[in-house]
Amino acid sequence: MKRIGLSLLMVVAFVYAFAQPKIQFDQTTYDFGRIREEGGKVTGRFEFTNVGDSDLVLTNVRPGCGCTAANYSHDPVAPGQRGFIEATYNPYNRPGAFNKNIRVTTNEPQFRGDSKSGPHMIFIKGEVIKRPPTVFEMAGYKNGNGMSRIKEPNVTHNLLNTESVMDTFWIHNFWDKPILYELDSKIGCVSEVSRSFGSSIMPGQEGYIVLKYDASKRDAYGQLKDVVYFNTNDSIESKKMVHYAVNIKEDFSKLSKKELKNVPVSEYSEIELDFGQVQKNAQQSKTFTITNKGKNPLIIRSMQSSNGMFKVVSNIKEVPGGQSAQITVTFKANTRAAAQKATIEMITNDPSNPVQVINLKAQVL
């Protein structure tokens, strides 16, 4: 009797061990054909069957650029049962042919543990018929929404921290009513200098507003992004935005000969950090030091990481002469197996080396 029971348990264990889910798509490519750019989002549906002998679970559905796949079977799909993935594509501002992929992983055996198996790939394709230009585009106003628009709302500057710059922003009112433009003054480094119209721009009118960006009032260094708002009565888009991308560097030109003899001098123990292999969802930290070989305090102005998976902190921000600061970089891996690279831009008040780039890399398993 005991022998029979043991045999039965072994059979059950054997069946369970070899009971596996298996996905089978009805089709792996959905062709939208020719669609209009102004026609709105389109959605294609992929259906599949679990041809395995245990429950199938979609563990990750990752669409490519321009495509979304928020709607799919989230519950386990029993053997013999069917599931789906819906892929949505927005054709607006994307004229021409397209071919996008959706990467699908499941609880199938090839994706378990440390397997490096590639995902299932399904595709959407089609051709977007270019829409005719709008009245805004024909007038050269391609950015923004609403009945009044700013022609070029994005500006880029390289400035010393003692400098300022002025930009002229052209504005058009396409509405049949006056539109009020009032600068939101929350950002102290940007001020209005002049404008070609009064408090409101009249229907059909084109005018300009001149803004001044003062780096000395920004009190920051390195790559910065600032957004300035205009409050308006535009019924579609009441807040108009101007985007600044500014790289601010310290001006050392006014240092005297005596001051130059006492300046801080930075020395880095490492300029490359290799985190090696890191498991998904795990994190790992590495450190390096920055030593002040000069006399006056070395001030760490900024530490900017180019990749959000790498975080950087310092135990001190002001390093006395002859002393060091310890910089800790922590890498937090995501759920995707891939090589990750980044840089940290270290900005200090060392005139001879104000910007030092630290190169980082890691391999997510």
Side-chain angles (χ1 to χ4, degrees), residues 262-269 288-303 313-328 346-351:
N262 296 311
V263 296
V265 178
S266 59
E267 183 177 274
Y268 293 82
S269 63
F288 64 93
T289 60
I290 176 172
T291 301
N292 182 5
K293 295 289 188 176
K295 295 181 180 180
N296 287 339
L298 176 72
I299 302 171
I300 300 175
R301 301 288 195 194
S302 175
M303 300 181 296
V313 295
S314 175
N315 64 328
I316 55 174
K317 291 296 180 68
E318 190 167 317
V319 188
Q323 297 188 31
S324 300
Q326 180 173 287
I327 314 298
T328 302
M346 300 288 300
I347 301 175
T348 70
N349 64 331
D350 174 1

Side-chain angles (χ1 to χ4, degrees), residues 205-313:
Q205 182 182 1
E206 185 177 53
Y208 63 82
I209 294 177
V210 178
L211 297 182
K212 178 182 179 181
Y213 188 102
D214 192 340
S216 67
K217 294 182 179 179
R218 185 61 174 86
D219 193 28
Y221 299 86
Q223 304 286 343
L224 306 171
K225 292 185 178 180
D226 292 313
V227 181
V228 176
Y229 296 92
F230 286 99
N231 297 316
T232 78
N233 58 325
D234 189 324
S235 61
I236 298 174
E237 183 187 64
S238 62
K239 284 189 177 291
K240 307 297 180 182
M241 293 183 287
V242 169
H243 297 266
Y244 284 93
V246 183
N247 184 18
I248 299 179
K249 296 181 179 180
E250 190 162 357
D251 185 1
F252 299 104
S253 63
K254 295 180 174 58
L255 292 177
S256 66
K257 291 183 178 180
K258 182 178 179 180
E259 288 173 323
L260 286 171
K261 291 180 180 180
N262 296 311
V263 296
V265 178
S266 59
E267 183 177 274
Y268 293 82
S269 63
E270 307 283 346
I271 58 171
E272 292 188 1
L273 294 178
D274 186 353
F275 288 78
Q277 297 180 336
V278 183
Q279 295 292 330
K280 297 176 184 176
N281 295 316
Q283 70 178 37
Q284 184 175 326
S285 295
K286 284 186 174 293
T287 62
F288 64 93
T289 60
I290 176 172
T291 301
N292 182 5
K293 295 289 188 176
K295 295 181 180 180
N296 287 339
L298 176 72
I299 302 171
I300 300 175
R301 301 288 195 194
S302 175
M303 300 181 296
Q304 298 177 346
S305 172
S306 64
N307 184 334
M309 296 171 68
F310 296 86
K311 303 294 184 182
V312 55
V313 295

Side-chain angles (χ1 to χ4, degrees), residues 33 35-38 40-42 64-68 88-100 124 126-131 137:
I35 58 177
R36 300 195 323 275
E37 182 182 346
E38 72 275 21
K41 297 177 181 179
V42 291
C65 178
C67 173
T68 58
T88 299
Y89 185 74
N90 186 357
Y92 195 75
N93 282 340
R94 295 188 176 101
F98 66 91
N99 192 328
K100 303 292 182 179
I124 59 170
E127 181 182 1
V128 178
I129 303 170
K130 184 176 177 60
R131 59 179 169 79
E137 292 169 334

Side-chain angles (χ1 to χ4, degrees), residues 98-113:
F98 66 91
N99 192 328
K100 303 292 182 179
N101 63 66
I102 299 99
R103 300 166 181 264
V104 181
T105 56
T106 70
N107 64 332
E108 292 171 276
Q110 64 265 36
F111 301 116
R112 295 175 187 170

